[in-house]
Structures are given as C-alpha cells and as structure tokens.
Amino acid sequence: MQGVFITIEGVEGSGKSTQMLRLSERLRRLHLPLVVSKEPGGTALGRELRRLLLERHASGETWCAESELLLFYADRAQHLETLIRPALAQEKIVLIDRFEDSTRAYQGASGVAEASLDRLSELVLRGLRPHLTVLLDMDPELSLQRVEVRNLALGHEFSETRFDEAELDFHRRVRNRFLAIAQGQPNRVALIPARDPVEQVEAAIWLRVAPLLRNAGFRID
Ligand code: TMP
C-alpha cells in the first residue's frame, strides 16, 4: 500500500465542488483512509491567506502578480508540510481541491513568467507531483454564467455577480493554460468534459481514479 495524491482543477463554475463531494463521499463509503482539503485554505495559516487573497479587492490596492504568487506558495508550503506529506507518508488517499496547476494557470495568465513558477515550484514541491489530476474542462463563457446564477441565488448584488469582458478573457486564458498542461502531461492529467450531466462526469472521474487506487493496493470492490 502507498499513499495516493489526487488533485481536482478547473475554472470557476466547472463543478469542482460538486465532484469533490461526490468522490470523497464514494471513497468514505468504501471506508478508505482519506484526507480531503483545498488550496488556498487547507491549514490555519492557509485560511488566513485565503481570506487575504479572496478579499484583496476590498482594500482598493492593486497587488502585483508576484505578491499574490508568493501568498499562494506560502499556503502550499504550509499545506504540504503539515498535511499533504504526512498523510501520504501514512499511506492515505489525499484529495485536494486545486493545487500547483491552478498557480500555473491563474498566475501564468496574470503574467508571471514560467521560469519564476519553475523556481518556486522546485523550492516548495521538491519534486512531489499528484499521481492524478482531474481537470474539469468547460468554456468559461458557460461556467461563469453558472457562477453568476449561483451568486444571484445567494442574494449578492447584481453588479457583484456579473463578469465583464476583461474577466471573461482572463478566464479563457486560464482555461487554455489548463488545457496546455493536460496536453503536455496526459498520463497525470485526466481531461474531463465538465458540461456533461453531473453523474456522467462523476463516472468519468471514477474510471480514472479506480485503477489508480487498485494499483496502489486499496480494496475498492
Ligand atoms: P476556489 O474558490 O475554487 O477555492 O478558488 C479560489 C481562487 O483562487 C480561484 O479564483 C483560483 C485562485 N487560485 C489562484 O489564482 N492560484 C492558485 O494557486 C490557487 C490554488 C487558486
């Protein structure tokens, strides 16, 4: 038996949270040793950083891309050290909502150079890579509409729920970066069309997860 590291990635509104929940519930029903977490925000420090990162516009100050980048890596370093590496060493299944590929896609789309990402990645990850990354792929035009509808349902102001053309363009670049990662590392990244019905997406994910767990020695039948 060995630890298995799985990450789920995708643009906002691609159904990540739903599929995280479905996969983690399935693994729990099978009584498998599971750790579920997310980035940013998987540790106490991470929750502070997440609050800072997600409320960054509240202060009105524009952050430079490098400041933001370092906060995401601070979150990741703490997460790896205190949660991910120990859980893998205890031969658990570690399921994380967003990881390194999000930084590559989002901060890359914000203009951070590939070489800077490589250097920080080497410092923080020290060669650790997920065994499997599920990439839920969807056109941001559609996924952001879903976020808008969700935000309206949550009672947010109309003006806060609309994505303008510049944001849409940013998310298109994020998606393209995710797709390029998947193309470059087809063995690690499972590209799953996320427009399909929820059950179909769940089944497609399980088709990739099940053999991985079997190979690692987990009983899933
Ligand atoms: P979430 O709401 O899906 O948890 O995502 C949090 C936001 O943080 C989302 O807009 C993506 C962004 N993000 C980055 O820009 N870089 C990163 O490295 C990570 C993990 C998230």
Side-chain angles (χ1 to χ4, degrees), residues 52-67:
L52 265 175
L53 282 160
L54 300 190
E55 290 174 6
R56 63 188 175 278
H57 298 300
S59 71
E61 184 184 34
T62 311
W63 290 13
C64 68
E66 286 74 14
S67 305

Side-chain angles (χ1 to χ4, degrees), residues 12 16 38-40 50 54 56 68 72 75-76 97-100 102-104 106-107 171:
E12 269 98 335
K16 247 175 349 84
K38 69 173 175 189
E39 290 194 1
R50 183 181 177 89
L54 300 190
R56 63 188 175 278
E68 202 176 62
F72 279 115
D75 169 72
R76 184 157 307 133
D97 183 344
R98 293 198 187 281
F99 189 63
E100 174 77 4
S102 275
T103 313
R104 300 261 164 189
Y106 283 84
Q107 276 61 58
H171 285 93

Side-chain angles (χ1 to χ4, degrees), residues 71-183:
L71 292 182
F72 279 115
Y73 272 111
D75 169 72
R76 184 157 307 133
Q78 187 74 7
H79 202 201
L80 277 162
E81 216 47 42
T82 63
L83 189 136
I84 298 175
R85 289 189 205 278
L88 289 173
Q90 290 165 20
E91 301 176 342
K92 292 185 176 166
I93 299 164
V94 179
L95 178 61
I96 310 284
D97 183 344
R98 293 198 187 281
F99 189 63
E100 174 77 4
D101 297 317
S102 275
T103 313
R104 300 261 164 189
Y106 283 84
Q107 276 61 58
S110 302
V112 176
E114 207 69 33
S116 310
L117 293 171
D118 287 344
R119 261 179 290 164
L120 279 171
S121 174
E122 196 185 313
L123 173 76
V124 172
L125 269 66
R126 301 198 300 274
L128 183 72
R129 290 279 174 279
H131 296 102
L132 173 69
T133 295
V134 173
L135 173 58
L136 296 178
D137 177 54
M138 193 186 275
D139 184 344
E141 191 124 15
L142 185 68
S143 74
L144 294 183
Q145 264 174 27
R146 301 206 319 191
V147 175
E148 286 173 0
V149 169
R150 189 168 63 203
N151 285 347
L152 273 176
L154 288 172
H156 294 307
E157 292 285 327
F158 189 64
S159 59
E160 293 171 16
T161 65
R162 299 306 305 253
F163 290 92
D164 61 24
E165 193 51 43
E167 285 167 305
L168 186 56
D169 190 56
F170 172 74
H171 285 93
R172 284 198 189 106
R173 283 186 280 125
V174 170
R175 181 204 194 187
N176 287 338
R177 282 176 179 267
F178 273 135
L179 289 174
I181 294 169
Q183 214 169 26

